[in-house]
């Protein structure tokens, strides 16, 4: 199983939701790097979706969360009438996908005036029980804003009775229902947590594993082992991910050049930033910015 790990705060937030009714023979549209997470929950029928090269069959009471920076599309026509809910959510913080159930280590902060970091872990693709499926529908339905009907080829807009804060409260109920990692939410691992916190605060500066070892007064091998046990990545891998996510944020929110962004987030060269960005997101920074801007 693939899990999606969201660093919080900031907590993932609700953007919009709707329902869709597909006829037999309809297919989900192709979309690329839409910039939001797309949660799909099938009420009846079956959807055939692929994300990059991974194929999914989504049946009744099954849920799939599509990533904001990947291509997804229907790879096969619906073989029966299919009704599903879709929900768009955003995440201003970092996230990553893993085959491991992340233990959601509590990131230790020694100040009373700083947030305590934690992870929200959601399954990317899951079969819900009938009871959980009903509960999820009860949380989603008050959030519905749009109805897409392929029979009439029309999209209807709803007027929700919830104010923005109430919408977020309903969405938090959804996160709590799907969160697979809550039993680990207070598991202590001070060293790995402090290493992660340090890198999040100093990602824009240049440092090596030896620098981290001197900073925390531990052998690099021990630090790597702690990070891999807690986060399933080495410190350098985690640092690269943090820098890439910060770089992606600057691509979306500023007009800075790719060269300036690479320097701002701590990469030693622009070419290395582009290489790592393409390896992680299967597109270059410039192409990513253009693709996002084309949707607006």
């Amino acid at each position: 199983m693939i899990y999606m790990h969201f660093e919080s705060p900031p907590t993932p937030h609700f953007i919009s939701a709707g329902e869709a009714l597909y006829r037999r023979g309809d297919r989900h549209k192709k979309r690329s790097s839409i910039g939001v997470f797309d949660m799909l929950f099938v009420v009846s029928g079956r959807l055939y979706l692929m994300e990059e090269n991974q194929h999914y069959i989504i049946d009744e009471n099954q849920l799939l969360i599509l990533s904001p920076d990947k291509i997804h599309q229907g790879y096969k026509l619906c073989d029966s009438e299919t009704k599903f809910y879709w929900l768009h959510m955003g995440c201003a913080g970092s996230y990553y996908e893993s085959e491991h159930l992340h233990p959601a280590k509590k990131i230790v902060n020694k100040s009373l005036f700083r947030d305590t970091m934690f992870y929200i872990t959601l399954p990317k693709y899951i079969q819900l029980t009938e009871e959980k499926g009903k509960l999820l529908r009860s949380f989603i339905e008050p959030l519905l804003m749009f109805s897409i009907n392929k029979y009439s080829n029309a999209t209807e807009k709803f007027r929700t009775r919830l104010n923005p804060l109430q919408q977020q409260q309903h969405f938090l109920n959804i996160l709590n229902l799907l969160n697979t990692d809550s039993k680990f939410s207070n598991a202590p691992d001070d060293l790995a947590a402090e290493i992660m916190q340090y890198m999040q605060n100093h990602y824009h500066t240049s440092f090596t594993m030896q620098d981290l070892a001197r900073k925390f007064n531990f052998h690099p091998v021990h630090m790597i082992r702690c990070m891999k046990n807690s986060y399933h990545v080495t410190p350098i891998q985690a640092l690269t991910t943090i820098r890439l996510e910060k770089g992606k944020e600057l691509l979306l929110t500023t007009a800075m050049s790719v060269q300036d962004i690479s320097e701002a987030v701590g990469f030693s060269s622009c070419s290395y930033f582009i290489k790592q960005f393409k390896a992680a997101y299967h597109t270059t920074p410039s192409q990513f910015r253009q693709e996002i801007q084309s949707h607006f």
Side-chain angles (χ1 to χ4, degrees), residues 56-219:
Y56 298 94
I57 298 175
I58 319 172
D59 287 317
E60 182 178 345
N61 282 333
Q62 288 187 332
L63 177 141
L64 173 67
I65 303 176
L66 298 165
S67 301
D69 47 9
K70 296 180 180 178
I71 298 172
H72 67 261
Q73 61 184 318
Y75 68 89
K76 185 178 177 181
L77 304 178
C78 291
D79 42 30
S80 64
E81 181 181 273
T82 300
K83 179 181 179 180
F84 64 96
Y85 294 148
W86 54 267
L87 185 150
H88 291 165
M89 65 181 192
C91 178
S94 299
Y95 94 99
Y96 73 95
E97 297 182 8
S98 169
E99 293 182 356
H100 303 283
L101 177 58
H102 194 285
K105 300 300 182 180
K106 182 178 179 181
I107 298 179
V108 177
N109 293 302
K110 296 182 178 180
S111 169
L112 294 175
F113 305 100
R114 296 176 64 182
D115 291 328
T116 296
M117 307 299 292
F118 61 96
Y119 277 90
I120 295 173
T121 298
L122 305 180
K124 184 174 182 68
Y125 175 57
I126 190 172
Q127 171 73 58
L128 298 179
T129 64
E130 185 174 347
E131 181 181 357
K132 276 197 171 183
K134 288 181 179 178
L135 190 56
L136 180 60
R137 288 198 294 273
S138 73
F139 291 150
I140 293 178
E141 286 169 357
L143 295 171
L144 297 178
M145 301 174 174
F146 302 93
S147 178
I148 300 170
N149 190 319
K150 290 292 187 178
Y151 286 99
S152 60
N153 198 28
T155 299
E156 180 183 357
K157 187 173 182 179
F158 299 147
R159 177 175 293 181
T160 177
R161 294 180 298 174
L162 303 178
N163 63 43
L165 181 57
Q166 291 171 327
Q167 291 174 353
Q168 300 305 326
Q169 289 173 329
H170 273 263
F171 178 64
L172 288 176
N173 287 334
I174 294 172
L175 292 184
N176 191 53
L177 177 68
L178 298 176
N179 182 24
T180 61
D181 209 21
S182 58
K183 65 180 179 180
F184 297 111
S185 59
N186 292 316
D189 190 346
D190 292 358
L191 178 58
E194 289 191 18
I195 294 170
M196 184 68 83
Q197 185 69 65
Y198 179 83
M199 292 191 298
Q200 289 165 343
N201 292 339
H202 299 87
Y203 65 88
H204 54 283
T205 63
S206 176
F207 54 87
T208 65
M209 269 306 305
Q210 293 299 328
D211 295 327
L212 287 175
R214 285 191 291 270
K215 166 71 178 176
F216 292 97
N217 198 28
F218 282 100
H219 193 280

